[in-house]
Amino acid sequence: MNWEKAEQKNLLHTYKRQPVVFVKGKGKYLWDVAGKKYIDFFCGISVTNLGHVNPAIAKVIKSQAGKLIHCSNHYYMPEQIKLAEALASRSFGKNNTKMFLSNSGAEANECAIKLAFKYGTENSEIISFTDSFHGRTLATLIATGQEKFRKGYEHVVNGFRYAEFNNIESVKKLINNKTCAVIIEPVQGEGGINIAGKQFLMELRQLCDEHKLLLIFDEIQCGMGRTGELFAYQYYGVEPDIITMAKSIANGLPLGVTLVKGKYACLFNYGDHGSTFGGNIVSCAAAVKTLSLLDKKMLNKIKSLGAYFIEKLNELKLQYPKIIKESRGVGLMCAIELAVPGDPVLKKCLKKGIIINCTQEKILRFLPPFVIEKQDIDILINTLSGIFKNM
Ligand SMILES: *Cc1c(COP(=O)(O)O)cnc(C)c1O
C-alpha cells in the first residue's frame, strides 16, 4: 500500500507529514513498517512523555477498557473525581480547586476563554501574546498570537488583543475597562520554546491583581513535568487563576483539563458548558496513573537531564556559531534556533533514526520522553554535530 498516495486521496491536506509510518513503540523507541528503530525526541508533540506504551499505564487502560469505556456525563464517574482530587492536591489544594474535563488542548482553552468572558462584562477583551499557540478551534485560533493561523477567521471571533511576550509595558498599554483576562504559555511551545522571564510573570500577576483580571496559564505543552516541576507555575513560583492541560496528561489518550481556583468556580452553572466525551473514563484512569508516575524522583530526573541537555546544546552552539543562533531550554523542553532552514536537518536526523521537530521554520524543538538517559542525549548531539559539520 502506498500510504502517501492513499492519504492524499482520502484526507484533507492539512498536515505536511514526514515520509514514515510507525507501527510500534516502546519507551523511548519507535519502529517503522520496515522494522527500522528510532529514538523519539518529540513524543508526538510532548504527549507520550512517560514513554510509548508505558506498561503501567497500558495495564490500566486495558483493565478499564474491559470494564466500561463510556457512559456519559449524565452520570457520576469515580475516575473523573479521582483525577480531580489528585490534580487538586498537587496544585492549589483540595479545598481551593475545581475543574472541567474535556478531550483536547483547544477544548481546555475554550472552556477557560468562556469562563473569562463570563467573568468579564459585555464586549470584554482577553490579552494574549505574540508567538503564542492556543489551539485550532475558532476562539483558540483567534487567541493565538500568530497571524498565519488567524488569517481568514478574524471576523468570526472578537475580543482578543495581542501583547508582546516578555514585555510588561506592552501589556499595560492594552489594558482598558473591557479587559477581563490574560492568557499565556509560561514557556511557549509551538512558538519556538520561548521562555517567559520570572520577573515578567511576577509583574503580570501583579498587574492582573491590580486590574482584577483572570490570569490563565496554558500549560498544555509546558505542564505535566516538562519544566522539572509538575506545573510550570511551580517552576516560576507565580500562581495563575486558571491552568489548562492536555497533551501528555493521559500519556497518549485524549483528555483536556481546565483547572480553576475555587473562588472562580461559580462562574459556570448547570448547563453552561458540556461535552459528550469529555473526561472519558479510560482517559481519566490513564491520567491518574500518569500523574502518580510523575513523582518527586521523576521530576528530579527531568531537572538533572534537562541541565545536561542544555549544557550539551550550548557546547554545540559554540562549536557551530554560524549555524546555531541560540540554544535555550527549561527542563526537558529545549531548542536551538538555526540561521538556516531546519527541515533538511530534521530529515537527516530521521534517516539516522532520530525523531526531532522543527517549528517556526528555523527552530529545532526537542521534547524527549522522561525515560531517556544521558547517552541518548549524547547520540542526538553527536548526530547533529555530524550533520552541521557537513553543512
Ligand atoms: C497543542 C497545544 C494546544 C492545542 O491542543 P490540541 O490538543 O491540539 O487542541 C494549545 N496550547 C498549547 C500550548 C499547545 O501546545
Side-chain angles (χ1 to χ4, degrees), residues 104-107 109 133-136 185 190 218 220-221 246-247:
S104 66
E107 284 174 86
N109 281 338
F133 182 83
H134 297 298
R136 302 295 205 120
E185 299 163 74
E190 200 275 340
D218 177 341
I220 290 163
Q221 194 165 146
K247 286 205 161 84

Side-chain angles (χ1 to χ4, degrees), residues 15 76 87 101 104 156 159 170 205 212 252 260 290 310 338 380:
Y15 302 109
Y76 293 97
L87 283 171
L101 305 176
S104 66
V156 185
S170 75
R205 176 70 271 182
K212 295 196 161 43
V260 182
T290 301
I310 193 67
L338 305 181
L380 170 74

Side-chain angles (χ1 to χ4, degrees), residues 259-276:
L259 185 152
V260 182
K261 269 212 176 127
K263 65 174 162 176
Y264 300 113
C266 58
L267 287 167
F268 272 173
N269 230 313
Y270 289 122
D272 281 343
H273 200 43
S275 164
T276 298

Side-chain angles (χ1 to χ4, degrees), residues 3 10 117 121 147 150 182 205 214 217 223 235 252 265 269-270 322 357 366 369 372 377-378 381 390:
W3 295 111
N10 293 287
F117 281 137
T121 51
E147 257 169 63
R150 301 198 301 262
V182 175
R205 176 70 271 182
L214 290 181
F217 277 6
Y235 169 80
N269 230 313
Y270 289 122
K322 288 212 181 89
N357 170 254
F366 310 108
I372 57 157
I377 294 172
D378 294 341
I381 297 291
N390 294 316

